[in-house]
Amino acid sequence: MQNTTGQPTTAEAPLRLAQSFSARFASAPRIFRAPGRVNLIGEHTDYNDGFVFPAAIDLYTWAAVSPRNDSKLRVYSENLDESSEIDLSEAAPRPRDHWSDYVHGVAVMLQKAGVTVRGVDMALYSDVPSGAGLSSSAALEVSVASALLGASARTLPLAEVAKLCQRAENEFVGARVGIMDQFASCFGSGHHAILLDCRSLEYKLRRLPDSISMVICNTMVKHGHSGGEYNDRREQCEEGVRLLKQYFPSIRALRDVTPAQLESHRGNLPELIYRRCRHVVTENGRVLRTAEALGKGDLESVGASMAESHSSMKNDYEISCRELDIMVDLANGRDGLIGSRMTGGGFGGCTINLVRTASVGQFKVEMHSAYQQATGILPEVYVSNAGAGVTEVSANG
Ligand code: GLA
């Protein structure tokens, strides 16, 4: 990962974390690393049982861990320079509206899955920017789940790890997110994007050619997900399913609705609900078309689907914002650009730009200054490879 910030690089991070862990807790830790993700296309389709096309990126959260002899989970965040203590034997564990809720929620869900979670000392460091739509939450959850499993001498199938991390966020933290982020953080694979069916959890890896780079442009406008807008969108989709079920009793989710079916009952839906449904129903088609076009090297179609996706998120789903629209507008038409759209939950965060590798240097520099000029905000621009999912690492990497 090349970035424009002066933070420790991926290579230095685990060693620094191990050293500070040993100084704080007086033992040598095991270290687990889980990546953030970027979504190429397929936004807000996951909780509608639809399709998504994310890739793990080379920004990570590292969890250093060593077992204790009691039921305490003592966790320290390097990024925040803050500690928190959780008692794993509590009968009625509750969230405290604190970053440690993600850690606590994962421990609780592991326990619910039948794992006897040992007390641990844990230290966390992340270079996934938070609130940027790159899944800092999933990277945290998945790294913590792996660290707790490792320290408790247990393993679980990766798909179970992804699902229980999602449950931690849904049931403990209170954000009704889908499965995409946790799945990508678990199943990421070098040089590949993941075409995931969020109903069956079947997935196919699609190779990203070396001639195409993923350039992530951060508007620096932060979003938060545990709050209202995200959960509202989810409820509006559920309302759409409830209304459409009167005409198509076999549908279980918007995944089951075709564009023609939706159009035929446009007049029976409140306008807002219709537009929300139209985003999801058309976005599912775009995901499948994009994955196919990428496989055939039809980059024009990839770019067209990304552009349609952005305008659908802006106009129908209403999850973009001024800065995201500016970032996309500034990318369009630039040398080497294949396609550009906002990525992640929305209301701020990043755009994903597929750019011909030969033009990346120039693209980065130009986007940086054009966005600053247009908004007065200094953006961050990351060029990421599609990377591997969660893994244990040594302090040296
Ligand atoms: C967030 C959620 C995901 C997904 C995206 C939007 O990242 O965590 O489950 O819904 O938003 O596609």
Side-chain angles (χ1 to χ4, degrees):
M1 165 69 60
Q2 314 151 22
N3 68 32
T4 53
T5 69
Q7 300 198 342
T9 63
T10 297
E12 295 161 1
L15 183 57
R16 284 196 14 178
L17 185 64
Q19 285 166 344
S20 88
F21 183 98
S22 300
R24 179 170 300 273
F25 296 118
S27 62
R30 289 173 71 185
I31 302 179
F32 295 82
R33 182 189 87 176
R37 64 95 192 93
V38 69
N39 191 17
L40 301 185
I41 195 161
E43 229 61 83
H44 289 258
T45 43
D46 58 355
Y47 54 80
N48 287 297
D49 276 5
F51 299 97
V52 292
F53 198 29
I57 54 177
D58 41 23
L59 289 173
Y60 304 94
T61 296
W62 289 264
V65 71
S66 87
R68 294 170 56 89
N69 290 322
D70 58 19
S71 62
K72 288 204 176 88
L73 197 170
R74 286 202 301 175
V75 56
Y76 172 72
S77 159
E78 286 274 345
N79 298 75
L80 301 172
D81 187 20
E82 201 180 290
S83 297
S84 183
E85 195 169 295
I86 292 159
D87 183 352
L88 294 169
S89 65
E90 246 173 79
R94 276 186 207 297
R96 294 179 282 191
D97 202 12
H98 188 249
W99 61 266
S100 61
D101 290 347
Y102 289 90
V103 178
H104 197 175
V106 167
V108 168
M109 294 307 152
L110 280 168
Q111 288 172 324
K112 284 197 179 171
V115 175
T116 307
V117 180
R118 277 193 74 157
V120 295
D121 291 325
M122 184 181 280
L124 300 166
Y125 173 73
S126 185
D127 63 11
V128 188
S130 71
L134 299 177
S135 291
S136 57
S137 318
L140 173 59
E141 292 150 11
V142 172
S143 64
V144 166
S146 306
L148 290 176
L149 282 165
S152 308
R154 281 289 307 266
T155 56
L156 282 179
L158 266 189
E160 289 310 310
V161 173
K163 285 195 267 186
L164 74 83
C165 287
Q166 182 200 12
R167 277 204 296 279
E169 203 160 334
N170 291 169
E171 294 170 26
F172 200 80
V173 178
R176 298 185 64 209
V177 295
I179 189 70
M180 167 168 71
D181 304 349
Q182 294 80 5
F183 197 93
S185 190
C186 285
F187 286 91
S189 167
H191 303 289
H192 289 87
I194 306 166
L195 176 60
L196 172 66
D197 177 338
C198 298
R199 171 171 280 166
S200 65
L201 295 191
E202 278 166 17
Y203 69 99
K204 291 179 188 136
L205 295 178
R206 289 278 181 262
R207 192 171 169 93
L208 294 169
D210 294 340
S211 56
I212 300 178
S213 294
M214 301 193 299
V215 183
I216 299 163
C217 295
N218 190 345
T219 62
M220 309 305 281
V221 176
K222 285 207 172 199
H223 73 75
H225 274 171
S226 39
E229 293 270 25
Y230 185 96
N231 290 352
D232 286 352
R233 293 300 180 283
R234 193 162 175 166
E235 273 162 30
Q236 289 157 354
C237 291
E238 286 163 1
E239 174 69 356
V241 172
R242 201 181 59 74
L243 294 170
L244 288 165
K245 233 181 192 321
Q246 300 172 68
Y247 313 102
F248 309 107
S250 66
I251 66 169
R252 284 161 48 204
L254 287 180
R255 147 73 174 276
D256 303 311
V257 178
T258 65
Q261 284 175 325
L262 179 63
E263 286 311 313
S264 69
H265 287 282
R266 179 174 185 161
N268 303 111
L269 300 175
E271 211 266 333
L272 181 86
I273 301 293
Y274 164 74
R275 282 193 290 119
R276 301 299 192 243
C277 293
R278 183 167 65 179
H279 165 70
V280 173
V281 167
T282 57
E283 184 82 347
N284 271 326
R286 285 188 287 270
V287 175
L288 298 176
R289 283 198 296 280
T290 301
E292 196 186 328
L294 196 65
K296 287 189 193 147
D298 177 2
L299 300 183
E300 217 168 293
S301 302
V302 170
S305 289
M306 289 176 79
E308 279 170 32
S309 170
H310 187 79
S311 85
S312 175
M313 291 187 286
K314 177 180 173 185
N315 301 315
D316 277 355
Y317 221 60
E318 295 179 282
I319 53 171
S320 187
C321 66
R322 176 177 162 266
E323 291 81 1
L324 282 166
D325 295 340
I326 290 175
M327 197 69 103
V328 168
D329 285 348
L330 290 173
N332 281 326
R334 255 175 228 288
D335 267 1
L337 183 86
I338 295 160
S340 179
R341 58 184 282 283
M342 59 144 271
T343 188
F347 309 107
C350 296
T351 62
I352 169 70
N353 303 270
L354 293 181
V355 180
R356 286 176 215 277
T357 304
S359 302
V360 162
Q362 188 190 348
F363 183 85
K364 254 182 85 170
V365 171
E366 288 180 4
M367 286 300 288
H368 213 270
S369 68
Y371 181 76
Q372 192 180 4
Q373 214 164 32
T375 61
I377 305 171
L378 195 64
E380 287 179 2
V381 181
Y382 324 103
V383 182
S384 178
N385 294 310
V390 64
T391 181
E392 182 167 5
V393 293
S394 75
N396 299 318

